[in-house]
């Protein structure tokens, strides 16, 4: 099933499916697949963009809101930042490291 | 500060490109085991030869406070943050006496709560290695504790490699 991140949607880290740690200046994500955190498989180090977006994925703000908040701290038009936010959410969703939070 | 500097990826590196320090590895292992997940990584070093060799892929399972027995290979963190995978050679009242199979000295007493997990699988060249994880582990622990095992291994290394390969292909 293909998953698509939408700017209006709210996402949060899939706590059971990922280990995220900032260690010695590097922000590392280790996906937990079938109950295994496999260092010999895919692990990721987030760049500045990824780190900024990840830190705001709290299950309360939509990607649009996150882009607005980031636009205050970073140079760049809202549209570009929003695209980045959607881009990273898409990558993380694909790897099941993110889950969508349904709004009530 | 500019976001997305070079129209690039959100991930700057993947497993094969990342070189993690022992401290980073132990922090990630702790985090994964805390989620009751298994943790798989490439072993570095020679202290557990020949049962775990440099470059073997080791899977550590969460200990979850379970009682571990003599001979089990466990993961713990030395003061200073270094991750160590060594064998329990004795279970004492206040902890475990732990030692690398090919080491002459032990790591001292390690408290139960400082054990992160135990080694449940070792893979070498994509093949599972069972020697050292089954019941024979108790005998290995005994030989290791009385320092006979490191002596045997030391003598073994004196035999030319070509001959060793003939004895153990």
């Amino acid at each position: 099933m293909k998953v698509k991140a939408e700017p209006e949607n709210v996402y949060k880290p899939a706590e059971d499916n990922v280990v995220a740690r900032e260690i010695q200046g590097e922000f590392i994500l280790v996906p937990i697949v079938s109950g295994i955190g496999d260092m010999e498989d895919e692990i990721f180090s987030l760049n500045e963009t990824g780190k900024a977006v990840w830190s705001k994925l709290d299950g309360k703000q939509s990607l649009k809101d996150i882009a607005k908040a980031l636009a205050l701290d970073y140079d760049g038009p809202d549209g570009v930042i929003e695209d980045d936010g959607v881009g990273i959410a898409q990558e993380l969703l694909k790897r099941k490291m993110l889950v969508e939070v349904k709004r009530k | 500060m500019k976001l997305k500097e070079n129209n690039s990826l959100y991930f700057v590196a993947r497993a094969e490109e990342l070189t993690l320090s022992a401290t980073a590895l132990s922090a990630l292992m702790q985090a994964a085991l805390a989620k009751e997940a298994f943790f798989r990584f490439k072993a570095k070093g020679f202290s557990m030869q020949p049962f775990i060799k440099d470059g073997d892929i080791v899977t550590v399972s969460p200990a979850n406070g379970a009682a571990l027995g003599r001979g089990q290979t466990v993961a713990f963190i030395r003061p200073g943050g270094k991750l160590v995978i060594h064998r329990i050679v004795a279970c004492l009242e206040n902890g475990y006496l732990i030692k690398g199979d090919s080491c002459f000295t032990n790591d001292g007493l390690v408290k139960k709560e400082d054990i992160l997990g135990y080694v449940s699988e070792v893979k070498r060249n994509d093949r599972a290695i069972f020697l050292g994880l089954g019941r024979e582990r108790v005998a290995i622990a005994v030989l290791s504790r009385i320092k006979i095992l490191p002596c045997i291994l030391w003598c073994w290394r004196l035999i030319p490699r070509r001959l060793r390969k003939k004895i153990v292909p």
Side-chain angles (χ1 to χ4, degrees):
Chain A
M1 194 177 74
K2 209 170 181 185
V3 280
K4 195 166 182 287
E6 299 289 348
E8 292 76 23
N9 288 354
V10 178
Y11 300 96
K12 66 172 186 177
E15 297 291 345
D16 291 340
N17 292 348
V18 63
V19 167
R21 282 285 180 285
E22 185 153 16
I23 306 161
Q24 294 160 344
E26 276 206 273
F27 198 94
I28 297 167
L29 297 179
V30 181
I32 296 176
V33 181
S34 306
I36 303 174
D38 194 343
M39 301 298 287
E40 294 310 304
D41 198 1
E42 282 196 316
I43 63 166
F44 304 96
S45 175
L46 293 181
N47 66 6
E48 278 304 317
T49 309
K51 226 192 294 188
V53 175
W54 178 271
S55 67
K56 296 212 179 291
L57 289 166
D58 56 3
K60 290 173 189 155
Q61 308 174 78
S62 68
L63 292 176
K64 218 180 231 305
D65 296 336
I66 290 172
K68 275 185 196 158
L70 289 176
L72 300 173
D73 299 333
Y74 295 89
D75 298 332
D78 274 9
V80 173
I81 295 176
E82 193 178 298
D83 288 349
D84 280 347
V86 173
I88 186 169
Q90 184 71 46
E91 294 284 337
L92 295 168
L93 273 172
K94 204 163 75 184
R95 293 172 174 87
K96 295 180 178 157
M97 291 192 273
L98 214 59
V99 284
E100 190 187 331
V101 177
K102 299 280 177 204
R103 290 207 235 204
K104 286 168 193 170
Chain B
M1 190 179 210
K2 216 169 180 173
L3 202 66
K4 196 180 182 187
E5 282 140 359
N6 52 5
N7 197 26
S8 67
L9 305 160
Y10 309 102
F11 307 119
V12 292
R14 297 187 178 203
E16 62 271 22
E17 303 155 12
L18 273 177
T19 310
L20 292 176
S21 67
T23 316
L25 194 66
S26 58
L28 291 171
M29 182 190 280
Q30 268 180 303
L33 294 174
K35 287 178 189 276
E36 300 199 0
F38 293 65
F39 190 79
R40 190 177 287 156
F41 69 104
K42 192 180 274 182
K44 281 183 187 161
F46 303 91
S47 62
M48 284 298 285
Q49 289 222 65
F51 305 105
I52 300 175
K53 290 186 174 177
D54 189 54
D56 284 357
I57 305 298
V58 172
T59 303
V60 176
S61 302
N64 288 339
L68 297 163
R70 182 160 61 166
Q72 271 187 297
T73 304
V74 293
F76 69 100
I77 293 170
R78 271 202 187 122
K82 197 187 172 208
L83 173 71
V84 181
I85 303 278
H86 278 172
R87 195 181 300 277
I88 296 174
V89 292
C91 301
L92 307 171
E93 212 171 281
N94 43 354
Y96 301 109
L97 191 65
I98 292 178
K99 186 175 165 296
D101 289 339
S102 63
C103 301
F104 280 95
T105 53
N106 63 50
D107 301 299
L109 202 65
V110 178
K111 287 183 195 157
K112 192 178 168 182
E113 56 268 27
D114 292 335
I115 304 285
L116 300 178
Y118 63 91
V119 173
S120 52
E121 188 185 66
V122 177
K123 274 193 167 180
R124 192 173 302 149
N125 304 324
D126 278 336
R127 285 176 59 190
I129 304 293
F130 299 104
L131 189 65
L133 298 179
R135 286 185 180 177
E136 71 285 357
R137 66 184 187 224
V138 179
I140 294 168
V142 172
L143 293 173
S144 178
R145 190 180 180 189
I146 57 177
K147 294 175 187 169
I148 285 179
L149 187 63
C151 288
I152 295 170
L153 295 172
W154 190 77
C155 294
W156 176 253
R157 280 187 214 115
L158 292 178
I159 302 170
R161 184 186 283 253
R162 228 182 318 161
L163 196 58
R164 280 193 321 224
K165 289 241 172 185
K166 275 187 184 167
I167 302 167
V168 181

